Amino acid sequence: MTELDFDQGVFSDWFSEQAGRSGDLQIEPMRGGGSCEMFVCTSSEERFVIRRAPLTAVSDTAHDVVREFKVIQALSGDGLRVPEVLVACDDDAVLGAPFYIMRYVDGEVIRRKLPDHYIAKPETQPAIGEELIDALVQLHAFDWRGTAMEDLSNPEQFLERQVKRWTTQLEGYRCRDLPGVDEVALWLEANRPPPGRLTVMHGDYKVDNAMYSRAVPPRIITLVDFEMTTVGDPLIDLAWCMIFWPEEGNLIAIAAPGSPGGMDAAHCQRPEELVNRYAINTGCSLENFQWYQAFAAWKLGIVLEGSFAKFLSGESKNPNHEFFGFLVDQLMVRAQRFAHQE
């Protein structure tokens, strides 16, 4: 998006009334974001980010930004690395779709390449993965019972519901053949591990959903994108964040060694090193981790297929959504690999 698709005057009046900020507002679309749309809003010397649901939703339950706002509120004030949120709105008359506003954070998001100052000091790069794991350990340690997270989640029989839920969601927008998706679903049902501990789980935990410090060594300032956050099985988060971590043969790795601006090969941890760091810091067993790795890739593929289907139908012009087709194919390859391991 290069131009605003809403009436800035209507929004300015709403923002002044709801957030108590008056005066001229400067609003610009932000790059990035594969699901919701983002805008940066400058008011006097304050900067905010508007996170808006897409104008055309993938499903009735997808992109519930008002719920996401409540999740972040519930997690605030306990030392967790979450954004500071201000206000949410479910009135489509303001921006065309529900949205919420959070304070702008000045940091680095690692996607295709590392920031230049990280590249210049490769010996500091192990902190990228260490911080990713340590922030996850911290999130999973949050005592969710008695908080709003209890009302925003449905933790009972969490694992038992997962395969059916995501298979049903896929059928709502299935528009092409996805090799392996049905076979993996059958394997997941047949090999589901027994229920484990329940924690807050981010739901889309990966390196580019964290904002890192501009200074080295890298430190996570805040996590972002709590759209799928709930109370559930924490090992799904752990498996999920390894999907894009560099390893041999991973074509969708973020900033992989050997790619332009990628991590230094001598300082990039193997996935099992980071997984073991989590296990040591939580005491969590990894006995059934293969199942979680297959499930995480399978589920993420189904989630992204929804946006790719919107692109194929012409409902979305987001270039990220076109690229999601390749990602989905690679995710299904990954899911099948873990499902077929002995």
Side-chain angles (χ1 to χ4, degrees):
M1 185 185 301
T2 57
E3 296 182 0
L4 301 182
D5 58 0
F6 55 85
D7 188 319
Q8 185 169 333
V10 171
F11 173 77
S12 296
D13 291 343
W14 177 91
F15 191 55
S16 176
E17 178 181 350
Q18 296 295 322
R21 267 73 172 182
S22 58
D24 294 335
L25 297 178
Q26 295 183 344
I27 306 174
E28 298 178 353
M30 293 180 67
R31 292 179 60 86
S35 56
C36 295
E37 290 148 339
M38 311 279 282
F39 307 86
V40 62
C41 173
T42 304
S43 170
S44 302
E45 296 182 357
E46 293 183 293
R47 298 182 78 186
F48 307 96
V49 172
I50 304 167
R51 181 167 167 86
R52 184 184 70 177
L55 299 182
T56 304
V58 169
S59 72
D60 292 338
T61 58
H63 316 306
D64 187 346
V65 294
V66 174
R67 178 188 178 278
E68 182 180 7
F69 172 84
K70 294 175 181 177
V71 164
I72 298 173
Q73 273 192 322
L75 299 176
S76 299
D78 201 56
L80 298 183
R81 292 179 248 197
V82 299
E84 179 186 345
V85 291
L86 276 74
V87 63
C89 176
D90 60 4
D91 184 356
D92 292 354
V94 181
L95 289 188
F99 65 93
Y100 70 87
I101 298 175
M102 53 189 159
R103 192 171 297 280
Y104 181 89
V105 174
D106 186 23
E108 302 280 7
V109 177
I110 300 172
R111 288 200 172 98
R112 292 180 178 85
K113 63 182 293 291
L114 298 183
D116 290 341
H117 44 289
Y118 288 13
I119 296 173
K121 295 189 175 182
E123 69 277 7
T124 70
Q125 292 177 20
I128 297 170
E130 292 166 0
E131 281 283 289
L132 190 67
I133 294 300
D134 293 350
L136 186 62
V137 170
Q138 184 184 37
L139 178 65
H140 289 170
F142 177 76
D143 186 2
W144 55 272
R145 290 176 175 81
T147 73
M149 283 305 307
E150 196 163 9
D151 298 326
L152 293 166
S153 307
N154 182 19
E156 296 302 319
Q157 295 186 313
F158 179 81
L159 277 188
E160 291 88 335
R161 299 194 313 269
Q162 293 305 300
V163 173
K164 181 179 180 180
R165 175 189 174 184
W166 295 104
T167 300
T168 300
Q169 177 147 320
L170 175 62
E171 293 309 319
Y173 46 71
R174 192 166 187 162
C175 61
R176 63 177 179 132
D177 180 46
L178 283 179
V181 67
D182 297 316
E183 293 80 2
V184 172
L186 291 173
W187 183 89
L188 291 169
E189 285 285 50
N191 294 276
R192 185 176 62 242
R197 65 188 181 119
L198 294 170
T199 73
V200 170
M201 52 174 283
H202 181 277
D204 194 12
Y205 197 79
K206 50 196 176 79
V207 70
D208 62 341
N209 272 337
M211 293 195 70
Y212 285 82
S213 61
R214 295 200 180 276
V216 293
R219 293 288 179 262
I220 291 180
I221 305 170
T222 187
L223 304 174
V224 297
D225 195 352
F226 290 83
E227 186 179 324
M228 296 196 292
T229 300
T230 188
V231 173
D233 193 316
L235 288 181
I236 296 175
D237 270 348
L238 181 62
W240 197 283
C241 76
M242 289 298 100
I243 289 173
F244 294 98
W245 192 261
E247 64 178 318
E248 185 176 355
N250 187 356
L251 301 182
I252 58 176
I254 293 174
S259 64
M263 298 183 191
D264 186 277
H267 296 92
C268 181
Q269 301 99 326
R270 291 175 289 110
E272 52 266 34
E273 293 179 74
L274 297 180
V275 169
N276 287 336
R277 182 183 182 92
Y278 177 90
I280 290 169
N281 288 326
T282 61
C284 186
S285 170
L286 299 177
E287 180 182 359
N288 298 303
F289 196 56
Q290 172 191 342
W291 186 94
Y292 291 93
Q293 300 221 67
F295 173 76
W298 176 83
K299 173 185 169 182
L300 179 54
I302 289 175
V303 171
L304 297 184
E305 183 70 6
S307 294
F308 183 58
K310 286 174 58 181
F311 173 82
L312 291 178
S313 68
E315 293 181 76
S316 171
K317 303 299 182 185
N318 188 334
N320 288 327
H321 293 172
E322 180 180 14
F323 178 61
F324 282 178
F326 169 75
L327 290 181
V328 172
D329 293 341
Q330 291 300 311
L331 288 164
M332 290 305 159
V333 170
R334 180 182 177 90
Q336 291 177 85
R337 173 163 61 89
F338 282 109
H340 292 155
Q341 285 182 352
E342 295 297 333

